[in-house]
């Protein structure tokens, strides 16, 4: 309410306002995996003469559209189905990314676009003047949806309910368009009425309040009626249907939990603390949960672990656990907290545009962090913050930066805010998944920085303000213009902050939000005894990618003998050195206790320290109030003091990290002490285990006593009377449980002088396995056993191989035989008594792969392939797939790579497909910089196809494919491919008239050379084939493929004589504007499919992309005249044609040369009205006529299949 | 009146049909048969004495019956006389009186006994009663202690009341116990998994020797999450042992039956009545009614179409 006019402005990109939507799904067929239903959107035109309504819809088969009961013609066209149309032998990623971003923009609801374009019947046009309501009624069906809705139908006997079949909506960001037509934007809010008719044995869970459930007349089905009176964006609508067991939360009766049959006991336990999370959030936000009810649904084969929708959340069923499971409990609680945080910020409060996403993710992540702090303690919280900070720092340094608030309004293509990335960050759907995760991570860290600046109290006040504004707005039932108060924007959020706190956080925002990169500090110091001054030097690296320069305050904490002192230094342009006066004289007060930061006073053994200096340790930016990486140099004893006496877990972890470089007995002692100290945070102790192992290995020649940690473990966990036998398990003390789990794993990393795992350690671990006894334990020991297997795997070292002999049972090393026996037994026992989440199988598979990799047993992927099949538990599948991926990488096996890629295309589980691509990207069989026999043309084609058209149903998967392509081939054209071919496919009739490439190969090849440079940038090819002929007639197979002697033109490494796509190439050299002509001649399959439409489309995308940044930022601001001519095809973005005209005219020039003129002209006409509005001066009148024509022949009302891209039913 | 006779015959160890029949029917019958046979021999010899050369079997039987009855009557009466005089053992005079009473001239008896042609019947051979082999000989049979009169029944066989140590003293040393438990479990597991591997499909890690480390083949299941998430029965059992009762018992009874009950199609009756009727028998009925959750509400019947 305090907002000024300037930023109140949420201007809808659409010429109408949606107020209410009805979604009615009448039939869900599990057998056929199909859905039938209709939607009805109530919209208010905001312009006079609304004649086109653009909606989002993917996959849906649309049967009819009616506007106010009048049949309305519609066009369905989705350019994202196939990003680059068949024309292209273009295989470079730059080209693809641009085209993909353009395709996504072309249907982006935030740009007012959509796949479905409905023509308002002319009878209603007048109504538009009076701003009367329009009701758009759409009947649709979905058949075997590949994305958006996921069917899980187990293949067992019985009815669907008995089989546990269920279906749920899923997807990444706004993906609701996959299952019903809507305005799939986070900024278009409306109220909802949702109806789902399902089998009587099933339950339909959806958003809003369940008003009633009514049987159908035959009593075999029932209809669930939901009302959602709070304005909600379509992407926040979800559905899940299944034979769920229902649990009403015993503490909050308006909260209902659903799980699959037989899991009710687990559900009860897992949900038993949800009310605490509710209470926590309501308390800190001083705001009641905004919806009247809340539902949690646990489904199998979930897309992500947690997804939040308005008043409900869908979780993976694998989060459920029984009371016996320790390790899963905090993870599940975290997931619940995350889901709930997103209910407030993300579902209830939505965002204005994609560039405001960071506010939502930041706030929900931030309050989730507060929950962590409260529930798991400050140590856990600080540990988590450090973890997240390290993650984002690592990612940004690796990839070049994460930009939270991209602005696209100004600047040109050249000013792409993230030139270092191989994808566009303009749309959520073009983002790599990893980037998105890091984006969320950075967002909440930045929120924490803001909190540091303005205090938590103000921060919570801001949140409260946002929420109360939104809830006021949401109750304004009939004033839909008020609803934009429920949308958060960056500027609105910042304004709130400055209003509430009165502080200017501009610089902070500029540094971390409007700019990408992190800060990299190098610190060192010297103590000046004379002046009693600490001379601190802090350098920055801001030249490497992913870094930025920091100017401003930084906190430095110095622990001296007299106490701990904070200093705030100013980092300025040129000052590197800072003098900090010390408070204490060295050794002045030897006997005194030393006060710490937290007021505690401790006795320290000061003998280790430098007698001349009063400094115990120094910390730079201890509060992590900068997104930074600090590399600080101080002496080993200072790190040891820091580890022992600094009470902050972050400092302790830093010290442990630094001590790895100081393998001395003193470090060993410090680490051992920490290990033994029970007050110390358990994660620090766990970390210390690994550091100790590291140090022990470095000190192997001087190490005395038993192997590291052995005596410690014996003392803590073994019987007093017989120290070789471990006590029977008792995991009541979780800290020691985690330590007990970790120590053997770390110990197994120890190596003796021969670089083998000491026999003593191996036997010790084998004994732990042998004597493990869980009978008296209240908790399951499956994680413990799994880690013991991990320990066995860790103990393995590469086998000594003699002449590459084949690995057989006979020459198996005796130790390895023991290990293998354990693994075999564990793996077999799992079949009989499976462990929770089959964690032991997972560990066994990993261990077997380690055995293979170290050459102890023959390397063979077949075992893993069986475990990777559909039907195993998802964790097992992932572990098996990881092994196959690793095998592919090590053995360069094209067969396995192919097998993996087939699975990416065919596996029913989204997560698995995503994960395979992800793992392949992390452990690639080859990279752009390495040579590999795997890198061949068919692989390029396959991957290209995958990202181009094979993954159109899943945004996330497509981006994964792009990522993999990038990892394998880089941005430019893969080197294994033959010459880029930019051809003009000529008319069949012409072919004979054209130069025969066989006869004159040299002529053909010579002119191409200059064009073959890598720096050519996005090459543009305009292959054109004859469209008007029946497809079967063009390019008959009798025309031979003619290999060209092109080897000369290729880069040096390309083998001579590798087949070049024969044909003519027309190349436009952008620098010289010269046009070179090559003759292209081909009978390959792809060319046959090419038609003008597609060629133009893809061309259009590129141009569109080039122009994108020149357009006004808010599409809604386009001149009104556009509205009138908005007849243009939805496929092609509106603003393309400025350049398109040019290029087309160029075309026609060429075509003159090729006697192609006539046909091409015909084509051109067609396309002109498609992209018309920019050259209305040319042909407006003509188009008008055309419109009228078309009105007479309404567009096909026949189902517009989502699959047929190239026939956008534009037949006039 | 008839009973005393029976009792008497019992007392005379003639055996009885009723009383001892149960305990050792075959022995009693044998005895009876032996006696009867002896009587038959007696009758036959008397007949021979009297000059008969042959007789019908039926006649012998009748005479046997008569002689038996006579002897029995003598015994009965003699016992009655002795009891009449408050004694337990009949004396000669009792028998004499009896005989007199029965009209027998007692004086003729000595003469008859000493007659010359009388036949002497050898006593039937006494077969030693067969020794019942003892079922279990454990320890020594106890004799009565002094304070117990000897007529009291003997002690039963020792195995019926004596604790017999049949095992060795358990080893209580902790290390050994653990060692044993571990080995035992490992052996069981190994045997079991080997068995499973032998009887089912397997996978192998080695190509040369596929029997070396047999792995039970991985089999996809249709609903993999069930076995992966639900605790095994073994674990559940353990859990029950370690912590019983507590938590959520209330909510169990509160929610589940209500939810399921209301979900059942069959709400043909009055909708409003159903939840009460369904849940009243349960203990927490009052609390149950407070939960107003739309998913627990009954499914409504479709509205009847309006007639036009």
């Amino acid at each position: 309410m305090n907002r000024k006019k300037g930023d109140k402005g949420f201007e809808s990109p659409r010429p109408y306002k949606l107020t209410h939507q009805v979604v009615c799904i009448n039939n869900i067929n599990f057998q056929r995996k199909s859905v039938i239903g209709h939607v009805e959107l109530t919209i208010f035109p905001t312009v006079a003469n609304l004649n086109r309504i653009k909606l989002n819809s993917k996959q849906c088969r649309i049967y009819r559209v009616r506007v106010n009961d009048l049949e309305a013609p519609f066009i369905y066209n989705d350019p994202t189905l196939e990003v680059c149309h068949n024309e292209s032998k273009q295989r470079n990623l730059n080209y693809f990314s641009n085209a993909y971003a353009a395709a996504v923009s072309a249907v982006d609801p935030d740009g007012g676009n959509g796949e479905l374009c409905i023509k308002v019947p002319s009878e209603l046009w007048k109504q538009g003047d009076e701003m009367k309501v329009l009701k758009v009624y759409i009947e649709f069906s979905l058949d075997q949806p590949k994305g958006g809705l996921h069917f899980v139908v187990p293949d067992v006997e019985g009815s669907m309910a008995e089989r546990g079949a269920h279906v749920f909506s899923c997807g990444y960001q706004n993906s609701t368009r996959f299952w019903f037509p809507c305005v799939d934007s986070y900024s278009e809010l409306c109220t909802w009425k949702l109806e789902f008719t399902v089998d009587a044995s099933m339950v339909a869970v959806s958003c809003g309040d369940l008003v009633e459930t009514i049987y159908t007349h035959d009593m075999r089905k029932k209809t669930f009626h939901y009302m959602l009176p709070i304005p909600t964006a379509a992407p926040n609508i979800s559905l899940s249907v299944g034979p769920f067991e229902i649990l009403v939360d015993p503490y909050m009766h308006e909260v209902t939990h659903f799980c699959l049959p037989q899991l009710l006991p687990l559900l009860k336990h897992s949900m038993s603390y949800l009310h605490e999370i509710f209470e926590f959030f309501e308390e800190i936000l001083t705001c009641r949960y905004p919806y009247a009810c809340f539902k949690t649904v646990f489904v199998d084969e979930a897309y992500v672990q947690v997804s939040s929708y308005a008043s409900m959340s869908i979780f993976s069923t694998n989060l459920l656990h029984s009371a016996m499971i320790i390790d899963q409990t905090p993870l599940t609680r975290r997931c619940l907290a995350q889901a709930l945080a997103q209910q407030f910020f993300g579902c209830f409060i939505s965002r204005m545009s994609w560039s405001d996403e960071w506010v939502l993710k930041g706030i929900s992540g931030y309050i989730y962090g507060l929950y962590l702090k409260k529930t798991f303690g400050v140590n856990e919280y600080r540990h988590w913050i450090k973890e997240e900070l390290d993650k984002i720092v690592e990612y940004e340094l690796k990839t070049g930066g994460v930009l939270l608030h991209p602005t696209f309004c100004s600047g040109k293509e050249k000013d792409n805010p993230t030139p270092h990335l191989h994808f566009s960050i303009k749309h959520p759907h073009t983002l790599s998944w990893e980037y998105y995760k890091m984006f969320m991570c950075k967002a909440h860290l930045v929120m924490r920085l803001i909190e540091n600046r303005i205090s938590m109290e103000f921060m919570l006040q801001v949140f409260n303000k946002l929420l109360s504004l939104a809830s006021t707005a949401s109750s304004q039932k009939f004033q839909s213009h008020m609803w934009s108060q429920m949308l958060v924007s960056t500027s609105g959020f910042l304004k709130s902050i400055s209003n509430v706190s009165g502080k200017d956080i501009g610089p902070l925002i500029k540094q971390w939000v409007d700019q990408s990169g992190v800060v990299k500090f190098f610190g060192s110091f010297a103590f000046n005894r004379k002046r009693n001054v600490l001379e601190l030097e802090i350098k920055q690296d801001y030249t490497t990618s992913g870094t930025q320069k920091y100017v401003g305050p930084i906190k430095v904490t110095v622990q001296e003998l007299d106490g701990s002192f904070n200093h705030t230094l100013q980092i300025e342009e040129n000052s590197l050195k800072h003098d900090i006066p010390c408070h204490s004289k060295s050794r002045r007060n030897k006997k005194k206790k030393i006060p710490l930061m937290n007021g505690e006073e401790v006795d320290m053994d000061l003998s280790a320290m430098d007698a001349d200096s009063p400094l115990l340790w120094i910390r730079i930016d201890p509060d992590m109030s900068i997104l930074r990486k600090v590399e600080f140099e101080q002496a080993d004893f200072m790190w040891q003091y820091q580890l022992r006496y600094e009470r902050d877990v972050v400092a302790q972890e830093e010290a442990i990290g630094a001590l790895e470089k100081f393998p001395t007995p003193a470090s060993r002692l410090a680490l051992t002490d920490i290990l033994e100290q029970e007050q110390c945070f358990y994660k620090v102790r766990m970390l210390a285990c690994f550091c100790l192992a590291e140090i022990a290995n470095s000190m192997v020649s001087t190490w005395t006593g038993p192997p590291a940690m052995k005596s410690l473990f014996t003392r803590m966990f073994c019987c007093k009377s017989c120290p070789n036998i471990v006590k029977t398990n008792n995991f009541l003390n979780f800290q020691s449980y985690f330590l007990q789990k970790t120590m053997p794993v770390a110990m197994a990393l120890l190596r003796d002088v021969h670089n083998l795992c000491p026999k003593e350690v191996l036997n010790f671990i084998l004994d732990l396995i042998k004597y493990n006894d869980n009978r008296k334990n209240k908790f399951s020991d499956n994680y413990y056993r799994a880690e013991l297997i991990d320990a066995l795997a860790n103990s393995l070292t590469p086998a000594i191989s003699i002449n590459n002999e084949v690995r057989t049972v006979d020459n198996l090393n005796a130790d390895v035989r023991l290990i293998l026996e354990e693994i075999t037994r564990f793996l077999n026992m799992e079949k009989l008594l499976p462990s929770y989440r089959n964690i032991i199988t997972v560990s066994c598979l990993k261990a077997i792969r380690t055995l293979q990799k170290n050459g102890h047993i023959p390397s063979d992927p077949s075992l893993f392939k069986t475990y990777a099949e559909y039907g195993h538990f998802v964790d097992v599948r992932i572990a098996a797939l990881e092994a196959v991926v690793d095998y592919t990488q090590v053995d360069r096996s094209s067969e396995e790579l192919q097998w993996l890629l087939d699975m990416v295309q065919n596996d029913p589980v989204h997560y698995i497909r995503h994960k395979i691509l992800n793992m392949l990207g992390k452990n690639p069989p080859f990279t752009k910089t390495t040579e590999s026999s795997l890198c061949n043309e068919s692989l390029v084609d396959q991957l290209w196809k995958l990202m181009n058209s094979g993954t159109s149903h899943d945004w996330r998967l497509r981006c994964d494919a792009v990522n993999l392509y990038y990892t394998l081939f880089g941005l430019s054209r893969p080197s294994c491919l033959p010459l880029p071919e930019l051809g003009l496919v000529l008319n069949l009739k012409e072919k004979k008239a054209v130069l025969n490439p066989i006869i004159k190969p040299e002529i053909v090849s010579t002119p191409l050379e200059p064009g073959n440079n890598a720096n050519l940038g996005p090459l543009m090819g305009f292959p054109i084939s004859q469209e008007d002929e029946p497809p079967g007639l063009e390019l008959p197979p009798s025309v031979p493929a003619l290999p060209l002697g092109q080897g000369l033109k290729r880069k040096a490494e390309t083998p001579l004589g590798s087949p070049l796509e024969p044909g003519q190439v027309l190349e436009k050299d952008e620098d010289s504007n010269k046009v070179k002509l090559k003759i292209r001649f081909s009978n390959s399959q792809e060319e046959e499919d090419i038609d003008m439409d597609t060629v133009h489309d893809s061309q259009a995308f590129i141009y569109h992309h080039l122009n994108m940044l020149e357009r006004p930022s808010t599409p809604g601001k386009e001149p009104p005249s556009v509205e009138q001519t908005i007849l243009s095809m939805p496929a092609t973005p509106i603003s393309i044609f400025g350049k398109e005209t040019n290029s087309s005219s160029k075309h026609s020039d060429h075509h003159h040369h090729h006697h192609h003129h006539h046909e091409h002209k015909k084509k051109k006409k067609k396309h002109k009205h498609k992209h018309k509005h920019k050259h209305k001066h040319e042909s407006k009148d003509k188009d008008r006529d055309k419109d009228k024509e078309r009105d007479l022949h309404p567009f096909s009302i026949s189902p517009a299949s989502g699959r047929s891209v190239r026939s956008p039913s534009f037949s006039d | 009146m008839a009973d005393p006779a029976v009792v008497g015959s019992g007392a005379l160890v003639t055996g009885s049909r009723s009383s001892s029949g149960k305990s050792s029917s075959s022995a009693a019958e044998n005895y009876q048969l032996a006696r009867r046979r002896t009587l038959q021999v007696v009758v036959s010899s008397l007949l021979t004495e009297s000059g008969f050369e042959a007789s019908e079997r039926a006649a012998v039987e009748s005479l046997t019956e008569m002689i038996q009855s006579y002897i029995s009557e003598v015994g009965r009466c003699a016992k009655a006389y002795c009891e009449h005089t408050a004694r337990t053992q009949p004396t000669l005079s009792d028998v004499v009186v009896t005989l007199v009473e029965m009209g027998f001239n007692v004086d003729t008896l000595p003469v008859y006994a000493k007659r010359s042609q009388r036949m002497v019947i050898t006593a039937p051979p006494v077969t030693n009663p067969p020794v019942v082999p003892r079922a279990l000989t454990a320890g020594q049979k106890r004799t009565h202690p002094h304070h117990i009169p000897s007529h009291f029944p003997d002690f039963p066989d020792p195995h019926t009341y004596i604790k017999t140590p049949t095992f060795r003293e358990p080893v209580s040393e902790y290390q050994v116990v653990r060692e044993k438990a571990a080995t035992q479990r490992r052996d069981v597991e190994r045997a079991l998994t080997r068995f499973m591997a032998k009887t089912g499909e397997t996978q192998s890690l080695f190509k040369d020797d596929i029997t070396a480390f047999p792995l039970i083949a991985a089999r996809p299941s249709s609903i993999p999450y069930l076995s992966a998430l639900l605790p095994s029965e073994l674990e559940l059992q353990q859990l029950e042992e370690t912590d019983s009762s507590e938590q959520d018992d209330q909510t169990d009874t509160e929610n589940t039956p209500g939810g399921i009950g209301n979900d059942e199609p069959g709400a043909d009756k009055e909708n409003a009545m159903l939840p009460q009727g369904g849940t009243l028998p349960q203990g927490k009925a009052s609390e149950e009614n407070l939960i107003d959750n739309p998913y627990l509400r009954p499914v409504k019947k479709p509205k009847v179409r309006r007639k036009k």
Side-chain angles (χ1 to χ4, degrees), chain A residues 972-1035:
Chain A
S972 51
R973 191 178 165 81
S975 59
C976 61
L977 286 191
L979 190 81
E981 142 202 30
L982 311 156
L984 235 172
V985 178
L986 292 188
N987 193 316
L988 179 64
K989 288 164 200 157
E990 316 253 336
K991 265 178 189 161
K992 282 158 196 165
V994 151
L995 286 173
N996 188 328
I998 280 196
I999 300 169
K1000 296 188 173 179
E1002 289 312 310
I1003 298 172
V1004 173
S1005 58
T1006 333
L1008 201 88
E1009 266 170 351
N1012 197 25
N1013 298 333
N1015 63 1
L1016 202 57
L1019 297 173
M1020 246 88 54
F1022 309 125
I1024 294 160
S1025 83
Q1026 56 286 65
E1027 193 198 23
D1028 290 351
E1029 289 183 18
L1033 281 181
E1034 43 183 64
L1035 302 169

Side-chain angles (χ1 to χ4, degrees), chain A residues 54-103:
Chain A
K54 286 189 179 180
L55 296 177
N56 294 108
S57 172
K58 265 168 102 66
Q59 286 190 134
C60 299
R61 184 177 288 265
I62 291 176
Y63 292 104
R64 71 192 315 190
V65 175
R66 284 190 294 184
V67 180
N68 283 7
D69 294 329
L70 292 167
E71 296 289 340
F74 61 92
I75 307 163
Y76 188 104
N77 185 25
D78 183 0
T80 63
L81 283 181
E82 190 172 7
V83 174
C84 304
H85 290 232
N86 280 340
E87 127 275 347
S88 80
K89 285 289 153 188
Q90 277 282 9
R91 291 292 185 254
N92 84 63
L93 196 58
N94 259 329
Y95 174 77
F96 178 87
S97 287
N98 291 342
Y100 180 42

Side-chain angles (χ1 to χ4, degrees), chain A residues 595-612:
Chain A
L596 298 181
M597 189 49 124
N598 58 358
E600 208 179 326
E601 297 205 335
V602 291
D603 279 317
M604 288 187 204
D605 174 19
L606 297 174
S607 56
M609 72 184 292
D610 182 357
D612 294 336

Side-chain angles (χ1 to χ4, degrees), chain A residues 213 226 771-772 825 837, chain B residues 178-179 185 189 228 295 300:
Chain A
T213 317
Y226 285 91
Y771 293 115
N772 178 43
R825 195 167 48 83
R837 291 193 82 155
Chain B
R178 287 293 301 275
E179 174 83 46
R185 202 196 48 204
E189 284 184 8
Y295 294 94
K300 289 185 187 164

Side-chain angles (χ1 to χ4, degrees), chain A residues 348-578:
Chain A
F348 180 61
I349 292 194
S350 190
R351 64 176 194 234
M352 277 197 196
S353 69
W354 163 237
S355 58
D356 304 317
E357 169 82 347
W358 77 273
V359 180
L360 290 179
K361 289 295 172 221
I363 300 179
S364 60
Y366 169 78
I367 58 175
Y368 160 70
L370 295 183
Y371 169 78
L372 287 190
K373 200 197 286 189
K374 182 241 171 190
T375 311
F376 301 106
V378 176
N379 284 346
E380 177 73 43
Y381 174 73
R382 287 188 66 88
H383 171 80
W384 176 68
I385 291 288
K386 176 179 192 296
E387 224 173 43
E388 296 276 288
L389 183 61
D390 288 351
K391 252 195 264 174
I392 186 74
V393 165
E394 191 201 351
Y395 182 81
E396 293 211 41
L397 292 180
K398 190 181 86 193
T399 62
V402 172
L403 184 57
L404 287 184
H405 182 56
T407 43
F408 305 105
C409 34
S410 61
K412 311 223 162 98
E413 163 82 358
K414 307 285 175 283
D415 302 329
N416 178 5
T418 51
H420 51 276
L421 296 172
H422 58 278
F423 46 83
S424 158
I425 60 163
K426 214 180 322 181
H427 303 281
H429 298 152
T430 55
L431 282 193
S432 119
W433 179 250
E434 201 186 356
Y435 181 90
Y436 183 61
K437 281 203 295 196
M438 286 303 136
F439 174 91
M440 295 193 282
C441 168
K442 187 167 185 177
H444 81 77
L445 288 173
V446 168
M447 282 297 161
R448 190 176 156 275
L449 299 190
I450 298 176
E451 180 224 85
N452 281 351
R453 184 65 57 84
I454 68 168
S455 89
M456 179 148 87
E457 194 190 341
F458 282 141
M459 197 74 177
L460 294 177
Q461 273 180 36
V462 170
F463 299 159
N464 177 264
K465 195 173 157 187
L466 293 177
L467 284 170
S468 49
L469 269 179
S471 52
T472 320
S474 72
S475 54
Q476 308 283 321
K477 290 282 176 291
F478 303 105
Q479 285 177 288
S480 53
H481 61 273
M482 284 285 287
W483 292 349
S484 67
Q485 300 272 20
M486 300 177 72
L487 305 177
V488 80
S489 71
T490 305
S491 59
F493 174 66
L494 297 181
K495 194 134 282 173
S496 280
I497 287 184
S498 85
N499 283 348
V500 168
S501 70
K503 284 184 182 150
D504 174 28
I505 57 163
L508 191 153
I509 296 298
K510 190 161 171 279
Q511 180 126 41
W512 305 119
V513 178
D514 295 338
Q515 205 175 319
S516 70
V518 292
V519 182
K520 220 167 150 185
F521 289 123
F522 300 94
S524 59
F525 76 99
F527 177 67
N528 188 328
R529 200 179 161 197
K530 262 186 202 160
R531 295 166 57 212
N532 198 24
V533 156
L534 164 65
E535 294 167 357
L536 189 67
E537 188 184 36
I538 300 176
K539 279 190 278 192
Q540 276 190 65
D541 169 11
Y542 45 85
T543 49
T544 51
S545 102
T547 55
Q548 57 167 297
K549 192 193 242 171
Y550 177 79
V551 173
I554 189 169
K555 189 167 138 189
V556 173
T557 304
V558 181
Q559 174 72 46
E560 299 176 35
L561 290 172
D562 278 3
S564 187
F565 302 96
N566 287 330
H567 305 271
T568 305
L569 309 177
Q570 279 298 324
I571 303 272
E572 280 155 30
E573 286 291 331
N574 299 316
S575 77
L576 299 172
K577 304 233 177 192
H578 305 271

Side-chain angles (χ1 to χ4, degrees), chain A residues 1098-1129:
Chain A
S1098 44
Q1099 240 178 293
F1101 291 141
I1102 306 160
Y1103 277 119
H1104 169 68
H1105 190 80
L1106 292 170
N1107 290 349
M1108 206 55 165
L1109 299 172
E1110 293 168 354
R1111 294 167 56 202
S1113 62
T1114 337
K1117 283 178 188 160
E1118 274 172 333
S1121 58
V1122 175
E1123 310 287 354
Q1124 286 159 12
T1125 52
I1126 202 156
L1127 258 171
S1128 63
M1129 278 287 299

Side-chain angles (χ1 to χ4, degrees), chain A residues 889-939:
Chain A
Q889 193 262 327
V890 173
D891 284 44
R892 302 276 158 98
S893 157
S894 64
E895 190 194 325
E896 265 60 48
L897 184 60
Q898 196 52 50
W899 182 84
L900 286 167
L901 290 177
D902 285 348
M903 195 171 248
V904 169
Q905 283 165 58
N906 302 322
D907 199 81
V909 185
H910 290 294
Y911 181 69
I912 294 285
R913 309 161 73 160
H914 158 67
K915 210 58 194 164
I916 295 175
L917 286 178
N918 200 346
M919 290 188 294
L920 275 174
K922 282 196 178 126
N923 192 4
F926 59 91
T927 64
K928 46 191 175 273
T929 52
T930 57
E931 284 288 312
S932 169
S933 56
L934 292 178
C935 174
N936 57 37
E937 201 180 339
S938 70
L939 178 70

Side-chain angles (χ1 to χ4, degrees), chain A residues 139 308 383:
Chain A
E139 273 177 24
S308 265
H383 171 80

